[in-house]
Amino acid sequence: MADKRDLDFTYTTIDKIFRLSMGETGDYSGAKYDGDFSMSLEEAQLAKNKFIADSLKINQESRVLDMACGWGPFSHYITRERGATSIGLTLSNGQAEACQKNGLKVLVKDCRYVKPQDFGTFDAIACIGGLEHFCSIDEWKEGKQEKVYRDFFETLANLMPRGGMVYMQTMTFSKNMIDYEDLDVKAKKGSAAHVMALMVKEFPGSWLPYGPEMVIRNAEPNFKLISQSSGRLDYIETIRQWRKRFRKFNLKKYGLYLSLIPKYIMDKEFRHQVAVFKISPNKICFEKEIMDHYRFVFEKI
């Protein structure tokens, strides 16, 4: 799994820049347009959070665990709009501190090792983007990827009663994924080899599931699939909107950009990691169908 240091680069390093671009509880996962790209990003993110809450049957009596909660947009929605009780978990200090300042109960803890004795049990669990970070490249190379996912779903099963609901949103590799050995940051810019190499740099320690089948297969026998849908096109539009907001001028934000220049000049790895601000490798991966994006709803059996 991506460790705390890995995720602290991706989410803590850009914490202030992100919140200045997207708002204090900005949503850093694929929105839900359902083909209506006339919607604003905020409307599409609200639609996503409503869809998740509805799928999980969340109401004022619900106790919800928000795994890999980011800056807390889903917890914010269900506590204020549904009256639910929520606990959020993240590995990023920057995210946890931002959430706590905004009145959310969020802790720094590894989602994979939560036990009932830690926080009790839950009626529903949301894991929005977390699964993307649970298997490392080394674990994949060692043939441990299936076990990583099976163990995680076992963890989820232990945290809820029969009939409990789980929402899982994750990127997956798709039909045009290439061999790992072909990844190369020196490959032709925009090629599959190049953008996938940059994805590895941007999300160190993370390796994606191979298609929705891998996720569903490892949810069994503890869960039955209620629904699944691809959000690939929605994510492409989400990224377009994010890029507009990251570029929108704000004096404090651009001051932070400038503060990163010495590191950019001196650190080659950092230059690869911030390439997302130049060419958006994840957007290209979705466009080329190297990656896909799925929304799963499971019920414990």
Side-chain angles (χ1 to χ4, degrees):
M1 178 184 175
D3 62 23
K4 190 173 183 301
R5 181 183 59 184
D6 294 334
L7 296 185
D8 263 341
F9 160 71
T10 304
Y11 297 115
T12 300
T13 301
I14 65 169
D15 167 52
K16 292 180 181 178
I17 292 172
F18 181 86
R19 286 186 287 123
L20 287 168
S21 301
M22 309 293 177
E24 281 297 305
T25 56
D27 212 322
Y28 205 31
S29 62
K32 196 168 192 293
Y33 291 89
D34 290 330
D36 181 6
F37 298 121
S38 67
M39 295 171 69
S40 69
L41 176 60
E42 290 74 19
E43 289 171 335
Q45 293 290 20
L46 179 61
K48 177 191 68 182
N49 289 323
K50 183 179 185 303
F51 169 75
I52 300 171
D54 289 345
S55 298
L56 296 180
K57 304 175 183 178
I58 292 175
N59 56 44
Q60 62 184 6
E61 297 179 355
S62 300
R63 194 164 188 270
V64 183
L65 183 60
D66 186 4
M67 290 183 160
C69 66
W71 286 273
F74 181 64
S75 286
H76 184 271
Y77 175 80
I78 61 174
T79 55
R80 284 154 180 77
E81 298 298 326
R82 303 294 175 100
T85 300
S86 176
I87 295 176
L89 302 179
T90 178
L91 280 181
S92 165
N93 287 326
Q95 287 181 336
E97 290 168 6
C99 289
Q100 291 161 7
K101 288 177 183 177
N102 288 310
L104 299 174
K105 186 173 182 180
V106 171
L107 305 169
V108 176
K109 187 171 180 63
D110 192 327
C111 295
R112 299 175 303 163
Y113 303 118
V114 182
K115 296 179 174 58
Q117 53 264 41
D118 294 327
F119 309 111
T121 57
F122 298 87
D123 304 298
I125 298 175
C127 185
I128 307 171
L131 197 71
E132 298 159 6
H133 303 300
F134 288 169
C135 181
S136 69
I137 293 173
D138 287 342
E139 287 169 321
W140 165 71
K141 287 180 176 179
E142 293 167 4
K144 297 178 180 178
Q145 187 170 25
E146 300 266 355
K147 185 178 186 303
V148 167
Y149 300 148
R150 284 197 304 272
D151 289 349
F152 179 62
F153 277 105
E154 184 72 27
T155 294
L156 297 181
N158 291 334
L159 291 170
M160 54 177 36
R162 182 176 180 180
M165 305 297 292
V166 170
Y167 177 82
M168 183 79 63
Q169 182 166 305
T170 185
M171 300 178 194
T172 68
F173 292 130
S174 193
K175 62 182 181 181
N176 294 325
M177 175 55 180
I178 61 175
D179 291 339
Y180 176 78
E181 290 73 19
D182 294 332
L183 274 57
D184 185 358
V185 292
K186 297 179 181 179
K188 180 182 177 182
K189 289 187 177 180
S191 67
H194 179 243
V195 294
M196 270 307 305
L198 291 179
M199 286 296 294
V200 170
K201 297 290 187 181
E202 183 184 352
F203 297 100
S206 300
W207 196 247
L208 299 180
Y210 282 85
E213 300 82 7
M214 179 176 273
V215 179
I216 296 166
R217 180 169 63 249
N218 287 286
E220 300 171 348
N222 294 303
F223 294 92
K224 65 177 179 180
L225 179 69
I226 301 300
S227 69
Q228 80 173 71
S229 58
S230 171
R232 182 177 67 87
L233 298 179
D234 286 350
Y235 218 144
I236 291 170
E237 180 62 22
T238 302
I239 294 167
R240 286 195 188 106
Q241 297 304 320
W242 283 343
R243 289 174 68 77
K244 289 180 183 178
R245 284 161 174 75
F246 277 124
R247 290 169 177 167
K248 186 176 180 180
F249 182 77
N250 172 290
L251 186 60
K252 187 174 182 180
K253 179 172 66 177
Y254 271 70
L256 289 169
Y257 283 144
L258 290 173
S259 73
L260 295 174
I261 289 177
K263 185 174 179 65
Y264 183 86
I265 293 171
M266 301 298 295
D267 189 336
K268 182 180 179 181
E269 286 299 303
F270 184 70
R271 290 198 294 275
H272 291 318
Q273 290 170 326
V274 297
V276 61
F277 292 105
K278 291 183 177 181
I279 70 168
S280 188
N282 49 353
K283 177 173 173 286
I284 296 172
C285 285
F286 287 131
E287 290 171 341
K288 291 179 176 289
E289 295 189 71
I290 300 165
M291 299 188 331
D292 209 325
H293 177 256
Y294 282 92
R295 308 178 182 105
F296 302 98
V297 179
F298 295 102
E299 180 180 341
K300 183 180 174 182
I301 55 178

